[in-house]
Structure formats: C-alpha cells, structure tokens
Amino acid sequence: MLTGGAGSRVLRQRTAPEVWSPLEYACHVRDVLLAQRERVLLARRVDTPALEPMGRDERVEHDGYNEQQPADVARQLDDAALLFANVLDRLARADWDRTVSYNYPQHQERPLRWLALHTLHELRHHLLDIRRQLDS
C-alpha cells in the first residue's frame, strides 16, 4: 500500500463527494471487523442481543478517517482481521446458531453464521470499491 507523499494523497482522494476515499474505506473495513468481533463476543454472553448500528457514516468524520496515517491503518486492519478471525475460530458448532437482533438490511434475528458471511461480503464489496478508485 502507498503510504507517503503522492501515494498518501491518492489514498485520501475522493473520486466524488459522496464516495469515500480508499483510506476512508480501509478505516471503515477496520472498524467493521472490530464491531463485528464485539457483536460475536456479545452473542456468546447474551441471548439474542439487539445490536446497535455502528454509525458507519458518522465515523468518517468523528474518527477523522482521511487524516489517519495509511501505514497505521494497514497495521490496524491486519490486527482487526486477526482478532475477528480468532473469535470465529473459537466458536463451537452450537455457537454458530446463536442469534443476534440485526438491523441491516432490515430488522431481523440472524445467526452468527449469517453475521460471519455478511461480514465477508462487506469486506469483498469494499475491497472492490477501493480497487475501483485506485484504478481510476
């Protein structure tokens, strides 16, 4: 990943006002992994917990995504992926059927199996978003 000078500017650039920069997407993916990890851990402690929205759009500004250092975000993203994978690896067969009250795309009880697959879908989708911007 590009981390300094002109490379850093490319990572911070939005191709349109309503489209996040590659760095903002990377920060979002990091935070998704951390939020989903906490949700899995909560579901192991509480029966069908109601999950609060993570505030995806607000975080861009509130956490200053585009002002963060790309090298730091890359390291944090790697750590977040390892942390999320660890909690999934530790699920027993019955844990995969534990449910959460998930609010996206509509309010519905979902098993942890769905949460894991939905997270993977989101990560792939955002990787494509990043690649599209870097290729343009």
Side-chain angles (χ1 to χ4, degrees):
M1 181 178 265
L2 304 169
T3 58
S8 181
R9 281 191 298 278
V10 168
L11 294 176
R12 297 172 198 282
Q13 185 176 344
R14 288 182 170 205
T15 56
E18 69 281 358
V19 177
W20 291 345
S21 71
L23 181 58
E24 289 168 324
Y25 275 116
C27 290
H28 171 66
V29 168
R30 173 202 59 206
D31 289 354
V32 163
L33 287 164
L34 294 172
Q36 296 296 67
R37 174 183 181 264
E38 290 304 314
R39 290 169 171 174
V40 171
L41 290 169
L42 178 62
R44 293 192 71 192
R45 296 189 313 270
V46 177
D47 290 333
T48 314
L51 303 182
E52 293 293 321
M54 67 177 280
R56 59 171 265 148
D57 293 318
E58 297 84 359
R59 285 174 183 252
V60 176
E61 180 186 336
H62 293 174
D63 198 26
Y65 280 1
N66 231 13
E67 288 78 45
Q68 295 183 28
Q69 295 304 311
D72 293 341
V73 173
R75 185 188 69 254
Q76 294 160 0
L77 186 51
D78 188 49
D79 289 343
L82 291 170
L83 289 165
F84 183 61
N86 179 61
V87 298
L88 295 181
D89 284 344
R90 299 183 58 78
L91 293 176
R93 179 168 286 175
D95 291 332
W96 287 97
D97 293 323
R98 292 187 65 82
T99 58
V100 294
S101 182
Y102 209 83
N103 58 12
Y104 181 86
Q106 68 269 351
H107 184 79
Q108 187 174 354
E109 283 188 18
R110 305 271 191 179
L112 290 183
R113 179 177 293 99
W114 178 90
L115 186 142
L117 290 172
H118 176 70
T119 303
L120 177 60
H121 167 80
E122 287 297 307
L123 299 181
R124 286 180 174 170
H125 174 79
H126 292 315
L127 179 59
L128 182 58
D129 292 330
I130 291 169
R131 285 184 175 153
R132 280 186 192 132
Q133 286 200 58
L134 292 177
D135 288 344
S136 63

